[in-house]
Amino acid sequence: MEEKKLDINTMIGFVLIFGILIFMFWQNQPTPEELEAKKAQQEQVEAAESQKTNSVKEEIPQPKSIDLQDSTAVASYKSAIGAFGYTAPSEGTTVLENDVVYLEISNKGGQIIEARMKGYVTYDSIPVYLIKDGNANFALNFSTSDNRVLNTNDLYFEPTLSKSGENQVLSMKAKVASDKFLEYRYEMKPDEYLIGFTVRSQGLNGVLNSSKPIDLDWKMKTIRHSKSIQYENRYTRVTYNHDDDKISKLSEGSEDEETEVDVKWISFRQHFFSSILTYANKFETAKLNSINLVEEESHTQQFTKEFASEVPLKLEGGELAYNFNWYYGPTDVKVLAQYKELGLEDSIPFGWGIFGWINRYIFTPVYTFLSSFLPYGIAIVVMTILVRLIMSPATYKSYLSQAKMKVLKPEITELNEKFKDNAMKKQQETMKLYNKAGVSPMSGCVPALLQMPIFYALFMFFPTSFALRQKPFLWADDLSSYDAIAQLPFTIPFYGDHVSLFPILASVAIFFYMMMTTGQNMQTQPGMPNMKFIMYLSPLMMLVFFNNYASGLSLYYFVSNLITIFIMLAIKNFILDEDKIHAQIQENKKKPKKENKFQKKMREMMEQAEEQKKIGKK
């Protein structure tokens, strides 16, 4: 049989892939004047970003400061807040910390003003903060019986730190009398990210105006933690459990707003870290909002999105009584799985439908097991080998179909030539040939379709797998981010300002894989003039669009296509015998073939069309 060779057209196409990139590099190379202008523009951007950082406290409402040494100011403050002026104004903070998280709670507002993750740093080695420098705000808005509209941000709380067994308990009380108060109660357990949080009142029946709503207001500007702010922003979004454990999300790419019912928890997810507010029961309604702050890649921008949630609270007997939890920690399946009763594991973006099921119950446990005793990059390689071995029967079926089509190529070419002026007759005879030979031109597509859920599931798995965060392999210093081997002095649209190596290797591998599959189909299936273009376009798209994706994902595709190439070569050279396939097809032609209903219907329709065509000519 004819051997497939690397012809000159294929070589030209391969070279063109890299030629286009080189041309793009050269075409986009800035002049000295443009470089100078870019430098000035960069300085302006940095100044603007610095101004944004400094003004964050103005954008998210923060407690109004008063001069506690000024008796007039203190008297004015007490007059403004009425009965809650019983608590003496006192600036200060209280620290709650264990081995995994550090929290700082302010007397003013009684809220968390700093949340730092212990043991984790950002891409530039700064500790990971979820709350810092006024980027977040938690408050209750309510009315009093003397028609004052108050915000807990403006109230001073009296702190009391105690122990309950091994747990740290912080009671923050805004008092109207010694035994009447609004209380925030924080309870921190050892080595846990989940913080118990109770909001309750005592003796405020008659102080709080029960005819006016009490609104819980939680806002946050999410702090950048990753090297690529666009990539991190893609996986930063509001996620929430509502309406009988349905998991929904706000848009990650544009401004979005929803009002939902029966909300169990709200997650402000910052890619690999999350701030989650849970409720023991369910909020009747919750208004959620997300604003995208990232328009383009930036090395200086500090915030990705601005989130807001507004939840109405109800008084029972004139009092507040709500049992919440705060979760400040990694979006890590191993950690969140500890809180199954709250369902926090569902906040991880495994993917929808069957794709999420595959990620959650197959890939995540398998990779967790492999990475427990193998280096993280090697674990990806081993998992890739396992996936390809499991999918090898589908690869065999696909290649067998291609081999059969290749054997039939001379006869198909003959039919094309014989009926070149009669497309309908050519199609009829081609289908008869397929039926007699026992070959289906679509049989190679079915195995490919079966692999699609695997492909998409892995596309979601690698960018969101916390286990890959800041794990190095070969030249990649972080398998959850891109593996830049060169920094460009300019930015190429859609490509970026750097060159990643794993996408290049994956593109080369996918090119040769497609040359063995699509390239063969081009030679055996008529009427497909654009397949060669697709063969060149696919690796080019991989090269461009995966340049900013997780290097672990590109590593998987590189190894996967490499293994598939070896499997197909093994099938071709050691398993399939094209002479035997040809002989089997000839035997099949001699056997009487019974048409199935679909084939019969198609034949009858084509025959009717042929008859109508003849009548039309007469």
Side-chain angles (χ1 to χ4, degrees), residues 122 383 474:
T122 65
M383 189 172 78
L474 298 177

Side-chain angles (χ1 to χ4, degrees), residues 12 26 84 95 112 148 183 268 286 299 344 480 576 581:
I12 291 173
W26 175 81
F84 284 93
V95 171
I112 298 170
R148 299 173 193 270
E183 180 186 29
F268 289 174
H299 296 289
L344 300 189
S480 71
L576 290 183
I581 292 173

Side-chain angles (χ1 to χ4, degrees), residues 245-363:
D245 290 332
K246 179 181 178 182
I247 308 300
S248 298
K249 310 170 185 67
L250 297 188
S251 171
E252 79 280 7
S254 60
E255 184 172 349
D256 194 10
E257 183 178 297
E258 292 288 348
T259 299
E260 301 291 0
V261 298
D262 295 334
V263 177
K264 189 175 180 180
W265 51 254
I266 301 167
S267 171
F268 289 174
R269 190 177 76 233
Q270 301 170 236
H271 196 183
F272 286 126
F273 295 91
S274 295
S275 304
I276 306 175
L277 177 63
T278 79
Y279 179 34
N281 298 311
K282 291 180 180 179
F283 298 121
E284 287 191 6
T285 63
K287 183 179 179 181
L288 306 168
N289 183 268
S290 173
I291 299 174
N292 183 32
L293 304 178
V294 177
E295 295 182 359
E296 59 184 17
E297 190 60 64
S298 168
H299 296 289
T300 58
Q301 188 167 340
Q302 296 303 309
F303 301 100
T304 53
K305 285 189 172 70
E306 186 167 353
F307 298 143
S309 61
E310 186 178 315
V311 179
L313 304 182
K314 283 187 173 182
L315 294 172
E316 295 291 342
E319 303 285 1
L320 277 174
Y322 282 83
N323 294 319
F324 303 122
N325 287 293
W326 284 116
Y327 175 86
Y328 293 106
T331 315
D332 183 0
V333 63
K334 290 190 295 184
V335 177
L336 293 175
Q338 299 174 21
Y339 311 111
K340 288 188 180 296
E341 70 281 0
L342 300 176
L344 300 189
E345 192 178 0
D346 294 331
S347 67
I348 299 174
F350 291 109
W352 58 273
I354 187 174
F355 312 114
W357 187 92
I358 292 171
N359 265 339
R360 188 167 187 167
Y361 300 109
I362 299 178
F363 288 141

Side-chain angles (χ1 to χ4, degrees), residues 399-458:
Y399 195 86
L400 176 62
S401 174
Q402 295 169 22
K404 288 180 178 180
M405 295 297 294
K406 184 177 179 180
V407 167
L408 286 177
K409 181 194 171 185
E411 294 177 65
I412 293 174
T413 303
E414 184 180 338
L415 289 175
N416 290 339
E417 185 63 29
K418 183 176 180 181
F419 300 105
K420 61 182 179 181
D421 297 325
N422 191 334
M424 185 67 69
K425 186 66 175 176
K426 179 174 64 176
Q427 188 68 20
Q428 284 180 304
E429 294 301 320
T430 301
M431 289 184 66
K432 283 182 182 178
L433 175 62
Y434 287 152
N435 189 40
K436 286 182 180 179
V439 174
S440 172
M442 297 300 295
S443 60
C445 298
V446 175
L449 290 175
L450 292 176
Q451 297 181 64
M452 287 303 294
I454 304 295
F455 178 90
Y456 181 79
L458 287 165

Side-chain angles (χ1 to χ4, degrees), residues 45-158:
V45 169
E46 291 176 357
E49 289 299 332
S50 177
Q51 186 176 0
K52 282 183 182 179
T53 303
N54 294 333
S55 65
V56 62
K57 293 184 180 180
E58 298 176 6
E59 296 174 11
I60 292 182
Q62 297 297 316
K64 300 174 183 177
S65 298
I66 62 172
D67 185 356
L68 299 184
Q69 305 303 317
D70 185 342
S71 58
T72 303
V74 173
S76 177
Y77 160 77
K78 288 189 174 184
S79 175
I81 63 174
F84 284 93
Y86 180 89
T87 302
S90 174
E91 299 289 354
T93 61
T94 305
V95 171
L96 290 178
E97 65 176 319
N98 54 28
D99 289 340
V100 296
V101 64
Y102 171 96
L103 300 179
E104 192 171 334
I105 296 93
S106 174
N107 292 351
K108 189 68 176 292
Q111 64 171 312
I112 298 170
I113 60 170
E114 186 172 302
R116 172 168 56 85
M117 304 295 99
K118 293 186 176 182
Y120 296 108
V121 296
T122 65
Y123 72 102
D124 51 357
S125 302
I126 296 173
V128 170
Y129 289 92
L130 301 186
I131 301 176
K132 186 175 172 57
D133 296 334
N135 73 305
N137 176 69
F138 176 87
L140 299 183
N141 296 297
F142 61 94
S143 299
T144 60
S145 55
D146 57 356
N147 294 320
R148 299 173 193 270
V149 178
L150 300 181
N151 185 300
T152 54
N153 263 344
D154 301 322
L155 303 182
Y156 282 94
F157 287 70
E158 182 181 302

Side-chain angles (χ1 to χ4, degrees), residues 534-564:
I534 294 174
M535 188 175 74
Y536 298 143
L537 180 63
S538 295
L540 182 60
M541 290 179 64
M542 166 75 75
L543 188 66
V544 172
F545 293 110
F546 276 60
N547 191 58
N548 293 294
Y549 270 69
S551 54
L553 181 62
S554 298
L555 170 63
Y556 168 82
Y557 286 139
F558 167 59
V559 176
S560 178
N561 283 294
L562 206 61
I563 293 171
T564 304

